[in-house]
Amino acid sequence: MAGRQEREIRAYEFLDSLGIEFDRTDHPDMPATTMEVCAVVDSILNVRICKNLFLCNRQKTDFYLLIMPGDKPFKTKELSKQINTSRLSFADEEYMVRFLDTYPGSASVLGLMNDKDHRVMAVVDEDVFKEEMFGCHPCVNTSSIRFKTKELMEKIFPALHITPAVVKLTGQ
């Protein structure tokens, strides 16, 4: 753990506390800032890293972490209808840091462990649950991990006292 950021260490400790086994790859010279880089990481871990979008309403009172397959296009209008909100946009970095203790390019379901006041609603595209393995970042974009998708629903969300909204996004 030497040389790792505190937020990354907390992510591993959280997974360990839940008894979740995971595989990790480090890529410090290739931060996962684009889906193209994620594709390289996908091939290393043999998993599809999910796209994590940190969104908010226009008033900046409601916040959402959308978790969806990385290769699926995101259409704001389609999601807005399903979660009964309008004018969704990307939330400012300051809110991501405050609520998830992560930065753009590092958003992850694991950041929800830092949202003690439950300000961020987890929204998951149903296709995520069709994969055997789930890929994400441990709150930094210079490492990536994978674990069994069922652990997300059976251990991670319950431990965080979260019931995610499950949506069906077509990208159309």
Side-chain angles (χ1 to χ4, degrees):
M1 291 297 141
R4 297 192 183 274
Q5 294 181 37
E6 179 60 31
R7 63 180 50 87
E8 181 182 5
I9 294 169
R10 280 195 317 268
Y12 299 139
E13 289 173 347
F14 174 68
L15 293 172
D16 287 345
S17 75
L18 298 176
I20 295 175
E21 293 181 20
F22 59 91
D23 297 311
R24 180 183 75 222
T25 186
D26 297 321
H27 40 91
D29 298 331
M30 191 174 54
T33 55
T34 67
M35 291 314 296
E36 290 77 21
V37 173
C38 287
V40 174
V41 175
D42 288 357
S43 66
I44 294 168
L45 283 174
N46 193 27
V47 69
R48 289 189 335 180
I49 299 291
C50 284
K51 187 184 307 185
N52 295 269
L53 304 177
F54 187 58
L55 307 166
C56 68
N57 63 354
R58 186 179 71 188
Q59 299 82 4
K60 298 180 183 179
T61 55
D62 297 325
F63 297 87
Y64 308 90
L65 180 65
L66 172 61
I67 303 164
M68 61 187 290
D71 57 356
K72 186 181 272 193
F74 170 62
K75 302 291 184 183
T76 307
K77 185 176 179 181
E78 183 180 28
L79 176 63
S80 294
K81 285 181 186 178
Q82 293 183 58
I83 61 173
N84 297 317
T85 192
S86 61
R87 301 195 187 238
L88 279 176
S89 63
F90 290 98
D92 295 335
E93 179 178 333
E94 68 179 280
Y95 294 108
M96 184 182 286
V97 173
R98 184 185 322 162
F99 300 142
L100 303 179
D101 191 26
T102 60
Y103 289 90
S106 302
S108 166
V109 66
L110 297 176
L112 292 170
M113 70 182 178
N114 300 310
D115 183 21
K116 304 298 184 199
D117 296 325
H118 298 282
R119 292 291 313 272
V120 180
M121 176 186 215
V123 181
V124 184
D125 180 79
E126 67 180 9
D127 286 344
V128 167
F129 300 117
K130 294 176 182 174
E131 299 290 328
E132 180 183 352
M133 301 299 285
F134 180 82
C136 66
H137 302 303
C139 298
V140 296
N141 64 5
T142 52
S143 293
S144 298
I145 61 173
R146 75 172 192 162
F147 51 85
K148 291 182 180 173
T149 303
K150 71 177 188 173
E151 305 274 40
L152 185 61
M153 288 303 288
E154 294 176 4
K155 292 184 179 181
I156 293 175
F157 286 134
L160 298 173
H161 307 287
I162 291 173
T163 301
V166 179
V167 296
K168 180 177 181 154
L169 302 175
T170 63
Q172 298 179 12

